[in-house]
Amino acid sequence: MNNSNILSAKLKFLYIFVCAAIACFFPFLTFYFQQKGFSYTQIGIALAFYSIAGVIAQPVWGFITDKYLNKKTSLMTAMLLSSLTIYIFIIAEGFYFIIISMILVLCFQSSVMPLSDAYTYEIIEQHKEIQYGKIRLMGSLGYGVTTLCIGQAVKVIGINSAFILFSVVMFLGALIVISIKFKGKSIHEKIDTSDIADIIKNNKFSIFLIMVIIVNISFGCNNSYITILIQNTGGDVSKLGLLWFVMAISEIPILFLGNKLLKKFSDLNLFILAIIFFALRFFLDSISYSYIFVIAIQVIHSLTYPLFLIASLNYLNRTVHQKMKTTAMTMYFASCGIGTFLGNIAGGMLLEHITIFTLFKLISFICVICLALGVRLKNINMYEFNNNVEGF
């Protein structure tokens, strides 16, 4: 087996463990908060803290990685500390202690995925035969299988079984990172704060991040409150495992075909197409009458998140300077977190006054609004291309 095949195999296992760990934590948080007796507003606040912790932690990890460390060291450290701090969350009692312990976990866990993506793209730059989509689809498989199993375990054993498994799986993922033998290119230029200011001021980059924020208001709201939609359409916690399994497995075809789709349609076209399907999916959720229908609708997830992901990451890696790539990647994920933060806190407060079905109609409408910005960004890129102006 040549070096590229070995790297590809290890990266696939890395994503299996990373996504399996996430599957042990996030999908069941709303149910966990319900078990603790939180009101809808408290759940919204707790999930908002979940998002904002990542918003702060991810760019900090990106900056530290680009300026002082390397991607492998940062990723390994974040994974090991995630594996340990989860036990503080497990023993936490009371609203404020639970929030503080969750933030502690997220200071490390929230950066694991962007660091994994940045490290993977660094390897791909030297091993062009490795395709990101085919690596990332293993994460979807790991996520789907884990949620299916954890959904049953949580119902029978209890929610803490999921968090303990999170620790074990994250630790195994760190061991995979340690075993990877890869030496990236030495980057002599190091970033400083002026570089970050310059990239934020760039018109295209700013519009791109605003779109990411808007889409994630809807996407984050869906992920956090679909538990309540399932409950209001006749399902229980065990059905959550099936729902997340369907969503994760539906990602595999698009991720497998990722490179071909990017070459044929371009990243911005796929980005806009994903937003259209987001709007359709959330509207269909809003008129669902049975949890079976809700689960069936999640097949459309295959045309939303995976398209959104491969298009976004390709756009970033195509246009951002080499020395800024980890920082840009974490800024992208932080923007996802800002959108999720707004969706979580607004969704929780709105649910005190409106039905879950009305909430899903609202997030569908938000996606429609985002399309105007997508057209604007596409026009800017076409203008620059026609005038031979390079990206930032």
Side-chain angles (χ1 to χ4, degrees):
M1 185 180 289
N2 61 39
N3 191 39
S4 292
N5 289 337
I6 293 172
L7 287 171
S8 178
K10 288 189 176 183
L11 287 173
K12 287 175 181 177
F13 276 109
L14 169 63
Y15 276 90
I16 288 173
F17 287 127
V18 168
C19 293
I22 295 172
C24 294
F25 190 66
F26 176 73
F28 303 97
L29 270 182
T30 300
F31 174 76
Y32 169 73
F33 294 142
Q34 287 179 313
Q35 294 293 298
K36 293 293 183 180
F38 289 11
S39 67
Y40 283 141
T41 298
Q42 286 178 316
I43 291 173
I45 292 171
L47 292 171
F49 274 109
Y50 178 98
S51 305
I52 206 67
V55 169
I56 296 170
Q58 288 164 355
V60 170
W61 272 100
F63 183 80
I64 291 172
T65 301
D66 281 335
K67 191 169 181 65
Y68 300 109
L69 302 175
N70 58 62
K71 298 175 181 66
K72 179 177 180 178
T73 302
S74 289
L75 177 58
M76 179 181 62
T77 303
M79 295 183 80
L80 289 173
L81 291 175
S82 298
S83 178
L84 294 174
T85 53
I86 190 66
Y87 291 101
I88 300 174
F89 182 74
I90 290 173
I91 65 172
E93 291 292 340
F95 180 75
Y96 295 106
F97 189 20
I98 288 172
I99 296 296
I100 292 169
S101 62
M102 181 182 68
I103 290 172
L104 179 62
V105 175
L106 293 170
C107 285
F108 308 108
Q109 183 272 329
S110 64
S111 297
V112 169
M113 183 57 80
L115 289 171
S116 298
D117 285 338
Y119 188 43
T120 299
Y121 270 98
E122 182 182 39
I123 293 173
I124 289 173
E125 284 181 4
Q126 293 189 36
H127 298 270
K128 302 295 185 182
E129 61 272 33
I130 299 176
Q131 296 181 22
Y132 174 78
K134 291 183 179 180
I135 299 296
R136 181 61 178 76
L137 70 82
M138 298 305 295
S140 297
L141 182 62
Y143 189 97
V145 172
T146 302
T147 50
L148 189 61
C149 297
I150 289 294
Q152 295 297 325
V154 167
K155 186 175 181 180
V156 177
I157 304 173
I159 190 66
N160 283 344
S161 61
F163 301 146
I164 293 170
L165 186 59
F166 167 93
S167 175
V168 174
V169 173
M170 194 66 85
F171 180 77
L172 292 174
L175 294 182
I176 292 292
V177 176
I178 293 170
S179 73
I180 294 176
K181 300 294 188 292
F182 170 77
K183 187 175 182 180
K185 292 180 180 178
S186 177
I187 300 174
H188 300 291
E189 269 188 288
K190 294 294 185 180
I191 69 168
D192 55 38
T193 52
S194 64
D195 292 314
I196 297 176
D198 288 340
I199 195 174
I200 292 174
K201 290 177 185 176
N202 182 277
N203 192 27
K204 291 189 300 179
F205 189 74
S206 296
I207 292 174
F208 172 76
L209 290 188
I210 291 170
M211 288 181 67
V212 170
I213 290 170
I214 293 174
V215 170
N216 275 278
I217 290 174
S218 292
F219 187 52
C221 199
N222 168 80
N223 289 350
S224 297
Y225 298 110
I226 200 165
T227 298
I228 297 168
L229 182 63
I230 287 289
Q231 291 171 339
N232 277 258
T233 51
D236 58 30
V237 67
S238 66
K239 303 303 184 296
L240 291 177
L242 177 59
L243 177 137
W244 289 101
F245 174 78
V246 170
M247 288 171 63
I249 297 303
S250 72
E251 296 176 358
I252 291 176
I254 295 297
L255 292 174
F256 183 80
L257 298 170
N259 272 30
K260 291 181 179 179
L261 291 171
L262 287 168
K263 289 177 182 178
K264 186 170 183 178
F265 298 106
S266 85
D267 42 32
L268 279 180
N269 285 334
L270 292 179
F271 190 76
I272 292 170
L273 186 63
I275 296 171
I276 294 171
F277 279 108
F278 268 127
L280 174 63
R281 173 183 161 196
F282 298 149
F283 177 75
L284 291 176
D285 280 331
S286 75
I287 60 174
S288 297
Y289 55 87
S290 166
Y291 73 87
I292 297 173
F293 189 43
V294 174
I295 293 172
I297 289 168
Q298 304 319 306
V299 173
I300 301 176
H301 179 77
S302 64
L303 299 172
T304 55
Y305 181 70
L307 281 181
F308 179 82
L309 179 67
I310 62 173
S312 299
L313 297 186
N314 192 79
Y315 184 75
L316 284 177
N317 280 276
R318 177 171 62 85
T319 55
V320 174
H321 192 282
Q322 177 67 34
K323 69 176 180 177
M324 289 289 296
K325 287 195 173 182
T326 308
T327 299
M329 193 80 73
T330 51
M331 287 175 70
Y332 160 76
F333 278 96
S335 297
C336 293
I338 291 171
T340 303
F341 163 76
L342 295 173
N344 283 339
I345 196 163
M349 291 179 177
L350 285 171
L351 281 174
E352 299 283 3
H353 308 285
I354 64 175
T355 68
I356 189 67
F357 305 101
T358 303
L359 179 64
F360 271 80
K361 284 186 175 69
L362 286 174
I363 63 177
S364 174
F365 180 70
I366 289 170
C367 289
V368 173
I369 294 174
C370 190
L371 286 175
L373 283 175
V375 173
R376 171 66 176 160
L377 181 60
K378 185 174 173 61
N379 288 339
I380 292 173
N381 277 269
M382 288 179 64
Y383 176 81
E384 291 187 353
F385 177 79
N386 291 335
N387 288 274
N388 296 316
V389 178
E390 293 185 354
F392 44 88

